Amino acid sequence: MSQTDNKRFFESLSGAGKAIAVLTSGGDAQGMNAAVRAVVRMGIYVGAKVYFVHEGYQGMVDGGDNIKEATWESVSSMLQMGGTVIGSARCKDFRMHEGRLKAAHNLVQRGITNLCVIGGDGSLTGANLFREEWSGLLAELVEQGLIDEEASQKYSALHIVGMVGSIDNDFCGTDMTIGTDSALHRIIEVVDAIMTTAQSHQRTFVLEVMGRHCGYLALVSALACGADWVLIPEMPPEDGWEEKMCQKLSAKRAGMKRLNIIIVAEGAIDRNNQPITSEHVKNLVVQRLGFDTRVTILGHVQRGGTPSAFDRILASRMGVEAVLALLETTANTPACVVSLCGNQSVRLPLMECVQMTQQVQKAMDEKRFEEAVQLRGRSFENNLKTYKLLAHRKPESELPQSNFNVAVLNVGAPAAGMNAAVRSAVRVGISEGHKMFAVSDGFEGFYKGQIKEIKWADVGGWTGQGGSLLGTKRTLPAKHIDKIAEQMRKYNINALLVIGGFEALECLLQLYEARSSYEEFCIPLCMLPATISNNVPGTNLSIGADTALNAIVETCDRIKQSASGTKHRVFIIETMGGYCGYLASVGGLASGADAAYIFEEPFDIKDLQSNVEHLTEKMKTSIQRGLILRNENSNENYTTDFIYQLYSEEGKGVFDCRKNVLGHMQQGGAPSPFDRNFGTKIAAKAMQWISRKLNESYRQGRVFANTEDSACLLGMRRRALLFQPVVQLRDETDFVHRIPKEQWWLKLRPLMKILAKYKTSYDVSDSGQLEHVVLNRPKESEAMAAI
């Protein structure tokens, strides 16, 4: 591998002479096709031969046409398809020694010694067993005269890399499995639709979601829609739960709520390991409360549909990482699984992950439920804690009395997920004993005195609402600092939570600077990043960016489909983002774009020309549609119109062009499950930090916090959620273009280029380290607790 300043690049990593087979096994999951596409294209890109194994292990055992060489074009238009195009099957034959012997013979005949398996823990365990038996199987084949000694020597080692494709997110060692986010999208779409009909008729709905042994889907969808009750296998309800649940539902109705939602995982059990069915829950509600109650079993709807933007990016990243892992593996490297930790791809020993996954089931069987939750990982544990905190209101008598007043406001442009964050902050604040105040219309409303107390019930049903229900403006506080300080005194505000984009950071810096003149601002100040542009320094992700990405990807899918069956066509699509190219770049990766023009990576007429030539070449072979994304401020002269006209002129006779400006549709719509949960959980964490800071800084009857670390931004950095003083973020910020000086997602750009067949350089410094599964990560490594 070439080394430059301790960086590693993959250019000198060659796959020449190697053969890689890719297969999908077990239950299908959305995003599997994106993973297959990435493996095929990355494999071909580095010079390896890549084979499809159709119908999972069954195809490997049967051989023949089930194992076919893949071409670059054979994975075109695969990215947006759900399920698995190469097929998946449960295979009894592969469980038998004879079956594995046949499979080994079929692989050796084609010279395949690298296997990329996309499936659940059963599929991956089978692959590991196959690897362990490999030399013995080859010896048997030699003995039977099916292969010669030379072939046995040449193909003496089998290398395996796994990717976890499972909608249940039931695999230990990875924060998210391929397909989970898409399944959550399906569930939340159904819940949002059911809520309107339930409200009309004052009904209770019991929703059964998938998850035979894992309650992740049930728990996270309950968190994302604010369900009244959730039943999961890892944490069965206490004895007497029936009475408690009915009391809660009854109290909700008495509080003028017209509907109740109960979510049940299909594998839900009670403390005696007896199943709790959705029908049983329905009968309970009908018999004890007499409510009109209906059951909806979502079933295989959750497995279907197109993959979400998150799953496409995850699967594409994992697929590329899997090929890198196969190229670097040696005879002594254990079988590994490519996994996601925080925002980083990592490699973990396959069997360590499988063993821990099996320990969860064992703990549940032995009724060690607390341990089962811990074994699921910090993300699962935090989801459960947050759900309990937000769903069940303690009686007034049990709440601590803090006498602190905390104000919440939104600043900047609206972003989907802001309301979920406000709801979470208000409810956690009330649980901590504070009096919560809502400020309408940002700092403009603040200086005008648009401040009112907000109660627990006031934020009911907010999680699924797009935009900003509090109202938001771009006004900065500096001009009105006197009036704002006056309002702070009037309402005795002891802490401030600001939810917004780049403007929110500027606001916090202005308030911090005003501390020298106004004691009113010597209080805990906290900011949560919420902007579709994802241009806030100090965080890898912002609330709202995922929803915008999904809007872009859905639109790109439709636009590409509009050209199916017509002549060759190229679409030029303009995205929002200011000077930040996040939406264009990551949206390009998720929708299979050929190029994405952004401000951070300057381009000139030569680049445009080479892109046109590249597309022309592809169009002459077999690709029918091209997709070009352009960030709105990528270049003041090379406008969307200019690029459209250039491509139209240069592509004459080969392809025609169309252009689209996506505009504000990227800002609207209901928040995605990711944004609902990210907003909910970072707001809860921020309120707990505010409570801690308030208690630390309370002296002689008042709050006084004047240190740098009392004005912070809570952001996600690689694998951790961190509170960072806003003053320290100044040096990391380009204030002229309103973007961070360093942006993590720029490392993903080469992936898009590789998958679009451009020659490029790719920094793989973060790859290659085989890590170990850690039961409990350090306290603050809670990055994916944010999912």
Side-chain angles (χ1 to χ4, degrees):
M1 273 208 167
S2 53
Q3 298 272 347
T4 315
D5 301 327
N6 295 327
K7 282 189 174 181
R8 297 186 307 145
F9 294 89
F10 88 127
E11 288 88 309
S12 57
L13 200 63
S14 170
K18 294 194 176 184
I20 299 168
V22 58
L23 69 119
T24 52
S25 175
D28 66 313
Q30 306 97 320
M32 277 183 167
N33 291 324
V36 169
R37 170 182 177 267
V39 170
V40 168
R41 291 199 165 174
M42 185 64 172
I44 293 171
Y45 190 92
V46 295
K49 273 188 173 182
V50 186
Y51 290 86
F52 291 134
V53 179
H54 290 274
E55 312 309 332
Y57 287 120
Q58 190 66 55
M60 203 194 292
V61 173
D62 295 345
D65 281 348
N66 287 308
I67 306 175
K68 278 186 184 164
E69 192 173 345
T71 63
W72 191 275
E73 287 74 28
S74 60
V75 290
S76 296
S77 307
M78 206 191 239
L79 191 61
Q80 63 266 35
M81 295 172 82
T84 165
V85 171
I86 58 174
S88 178
R90 313 271 178 195
C91 177
K92 285 180 184 169
D93 294 347
F94 194 75
R95 291 179 186 165
M96 315 302 288
H97 183 77
E98 292 75 20
R100 294 195 288 278
L101 191 65
K102 281 183 191 171
H105 186 217
N106 288 327
L107 293 186
V108 170
Q109 278 181 315
R110 292 164 180 82
I112 298 167
T113 54
N114 297 284
L115 210 51
C116 185
V117 181
I118 307 163
D121 61 335
S123 309
L124 299 178
T125 308
N128 192 61
L129 175 65
F130 191 40
R131 175 180 170 273
E132 285 171 353
E133 289 183 354
W134 184 255
S135 52
L137 293 170
L138 293 195
E140 271 185 68
L141 290 171
V142 171
E143 211 174 287
Q144 291 175 18
L146 292 169
I147 62 170
D148 56 27
E149 191 61 49
E150 192 188 332
S152 171
Q153 292 298 317
K154 190 177 178 184
Y155 307 122
S156 60
L158 178 69
H159 306 298
I160 283 173
V161 171
M163 280 185 270
V164 193
S166 160
I167 66 165
D168 294 337
N169 203 26
D170 56 354
F171 194 80
C172 293
T174 184
D175 288 320
M176 284 290 264
T177 57
I178 295 166
T180 305
D181 187 66
S182 303
L184 284 171
H185 272 260
R186 297 300 93 80
I187 295 167
I188 294 304
E189 281 160 19
V190 171
V191 175
D192 286 354
I194 275 177
M195 277 180 160
T196 54
T197 177
Q199 201 148 11
S200 306
H201 297 278
Q202 295 198 42
R203 281 193 178 129
T204 296
F205 268 87
V206 181
L207 270 96
E208 185 182 300
V209 300
M210 281 184 165
R212 220 172 334 149
H213 306 295
C214 179
Y216 185 89
L217 288 179
L219 179 57
V220 174
S221 49
L223 198 55
C225 70
D228 298 304
W229 202 265
V230 65
L231 293 158
I232 57 171
E234 290 87 348
M235 185 51 75
E238 302 290 339
D239 293 337
W241 64 273
E242 297 92 340
E243 190 54 45
K244 280 185 186 166
M245 181 183 78
C246 291
Q247 280 173 2
K248 183 172 181 208
L249 299 182
S250 185
K252 281 281 172 92
R253 287 294 173 93
M256 304 306 288
K257 192 176 178 188
R258 291 178 60 88
L259 77 153
N260 302 107
I261 300 281
I262 300 163
I263 294 182
V264 184
E266 63 176 328
I269 49 172
D270 63 17
R271 292 263 152 188
N272 301 311
N273 280 355
Q274 294 306 303
I276 299 173
T277 63
S278 42
E279 203 57 42
H280 172 63
V281 175
K282 173 201 164 177
N283 294 338
L284 264 174
V285 177
V286 171
Q287 286 160 16
R288 299 200 183 190
L289 299 173
F291 290 173
D292 184 358
T293 307
R294 302 293 158 96
V295 172
T296 298
I297 297 171
L298 268 64
H300 284 74
V301 164
Q302 295 157 85
R303 284 194 191 281
T306 63
S308 65
F310 183 95
D311 273 332
R312 296 182 196 197
I313 295 155
L314 172 66
S316 299
R317 285 176 74 182
M318 299 297 102
V320 168
E321 183 70 25
V323 173
L324 288 174
L326 284 171
L327 294 181
E328 291 182 272
T329 190
T330 64
N332 304 321
T333 314
C336 78
V337 63
V338 178
S339 140
L340 183 77
C341 179
N343 199 23
Q344 240 189 320
S345 49
V346 294
R347 298 176 196 173
L348 298 167
L350 190 149
M351 287 319 290
E352 279 186 27
C353 298
V354 169
Q355 281 154 10
M356 192 179 287
T357 305
Q358 289 166 350
Q359 278 181 320
V360 180
Q361 191 56 48
K362 194 173 175 226
M364 281 154 61
D365 292 342
E366 293 170 6
K367 302 183 185 178
R368 293 179 281 117
F369 298 114
E370 298 281 345
E371 195 182 324
V373 169
Q374 276 187 330
L375 286 165
R376 277 272 179 249
R378 191 168 290 283
S379 163
F380 191 92
E381 217 177 334
N382 280 333
N383 279 321
L384 193 57
K385 279 180 192 163
T386 311
Y387 176 76
K388 285 177 177 173
L389 203 59
L390 298 176
H392 306 298
R393 187 183 181 180
K394 290 178 185 169
E396 294 286 337
S397 55
E398 286 180 32
L399 291 175
Q401 286 304 308
S402 76
N403 298 322
F404 292 127
N405 296 343
V406 180
V408 183
L409 70 159
N410 293 337
V411 173
M418 275 182 164
N419 299 321
V422 171
R423 168 187 175 266
S424 173
V426 167
R427 291 195 169 179
V428 173
I430 291 168
S431 300
E432 304 260 323
H434 311 317
K435 196 182 262 192
M436 299 300 296
F437 287 86
V439 183
S440 301
D441 297 337
F443 280 101
E444 191 170 309
F446 209 131
Y447 83 82
K448 290 177 179 172
Q450 295 170 2
I451 304 166
K452 64 175 194 305
E453 192 182 346
I454 188 163
K455 295 282 188 16
W456 185 281
D458 296 339
V459 290
W462 278 33
T463 38
Q465 305 259 17
S468 164
L469 292 171
L470 286 183
T472 179
K473 291 275 171 74
R474 294 179 185 271
T475 311
L476 300 179
K479 283 184 190 172
H480 312 284
I481 207 83
D482 271 348
K483 288 177 180 171
I484 291 169
E486 192 184 310
Q487 297 294 346
M488 300 275 281
R489 280 195 301 277
K490 181 179 171 184
Y491 289 93
N492 188 26
I493 303 296
N494 306 116
L496 209 53
L497 179 64
V498 182
I499 302 165
F502 198 88
E503 290 87 354
L505 177 70
E506 293 176 306
C507 291
L508 236 65
L509 283 166
Q510 289 182 3
L511 295 181
Y512 178 81
E513 280 158 12
R515 281 177 168 181
S516 52
S517 313
Y518 299 90
E519 243 180 48
E520 289 82 0
F521 302 118
C522 296
I523 57 171
L525 304 169
C526 187
M527 175 201 161
L528 300 181
T531 165
I532 67 162
S533 305
N534 198 26
N535 63 334
V536 179
T539 187
N540 289 353
L541 292 173
S542 303
I543 298 164
D546 184 69
T547 306
L549 266 184
N550 277 292
I552 291 168
V553 168
E554 276 172 42
T555 312
C556 287
D557 285 354
R558 289 185 182 193
I559 287 171
K560 276 163 82 176
Q561 200 174 27
S562 73
S564 64
T566 65
K567 55 186 176 176
H568 297 309
R569 182 165 285 170
V570 173
F571 294 97
I572 317 287
I573 294 172
E574 183 185 298
T575 65
M576 289 172 99
Y579 285 96
C580 179
Y582 174 80
L583 290 179
S585 296
V586 183
L589 179 61
S591 52
D594 294 280
Y597 299 121
I598 61 168
F599 169 77
E600 292 91 342
E601 206 172 87
F603 57 97
D604 57 23
I605 197 73
K606 286 178 190 163
D607 298 313
L608 292 171
Q609 185 61 39
S610 73
N611 289 154
V612 173
E613 286 165 7
H614 186 83
L615 258 179
T616 308
E617 206 55 46
K618 280 167 81 173
M619 290 284 182
K620 281 177 183 170
T621 51
S622 62
I623 308 285
Q624 280 200 325
R625 287 157 290 180
L627 188 65
I628 306 291
L629 268 62
R630 178 191 174 271
N631 164 254
E632 57 185 350
N633 289 346
S634 55
N635 188 299
E636 59 182 334
N637 295 315
Y638 299 138
T639 60
T640 303
D641 281 332
F642 177 89
I643 291 172
Y644 163 67
Q645 285 163 357
L646 177 78
Y647 273 74
S648 297
E649 181 60 34
E650 297 294 320
K652 265 185 184 166
V654 182
F655 58 79
D656 65 357
C657 275
R658 296 286 184 275
K659 66 170 179 183
N660 274 77
V661 177
L662 299 185
H664 281 77
M665 61 154 293
Q666 295 160 84
Q667 221 164 39
S672 66
F674 182 97
D675 279 332
R676 295 181 194 201
N677 290 338
F678 188 50
T680 296
K681 292 169 75 178
I682 64 170
K685 195 172 170 69
M687 280 310 302
Q688 287 163 339
W689 177 86
I690 283 174
S691 297
R692 220 170 37 248
K693 286 287 173 197
L694 282 169
N695 291 325
E696 284 169 16
S697 55
Y698 184 72
R699 289 181 198 87
Q700 295 159 355
R702 70 191 185 110
V703 172
F704 187 81
N706 198 21
T707 52
E708 274 188 10
D709 68 351
S710 61
C712 282
L713 175 146
L714 172 56
M716 182 177 148
R717 282 268 171 110
R718 287 164 76 92
R719 302 189 192 186
L721 279 173
L722 301 173
F723 287 95
Q724 302 146 92
V726 286
V727 184
Q728 291 173 18
L729 294 175
R730 265 194 195 135
D731 297 338
E732 296 178 25
T733 310
D734 172 356
F735 283 97
V736 176
H737 299 105
R738 305 164 74 77
I739 52 173
K741 288 177 183 172
E742 281 189 22
Q743 302 189 80
W744 70 274
W745 51 264
L746 286 168
K747 282 188 177 178
L748 297 184
R749 278 184 65 79
L751 291 196
M752 184 187 75
K753 292 176 183 175
I754 288 165
L755 298 176
K757 220 174 183 173
Y758 283 95
K759 283 281 171 234
T760 186
S761 178
Y762 180 37
D763 177 5
V764 291
S765 311
D766 287 343
S767 305
Q769 298 308 310
L770 192 66
E771 301 186 10
H772 290 281
V773 184
V774 182
L775 175 53
N776 265 335
R777 295 193 188 123
K779 190 78 179 155
E780 65 204 34
S781 287
E782 295 165 355
M784 266 350 210
I787 294 185

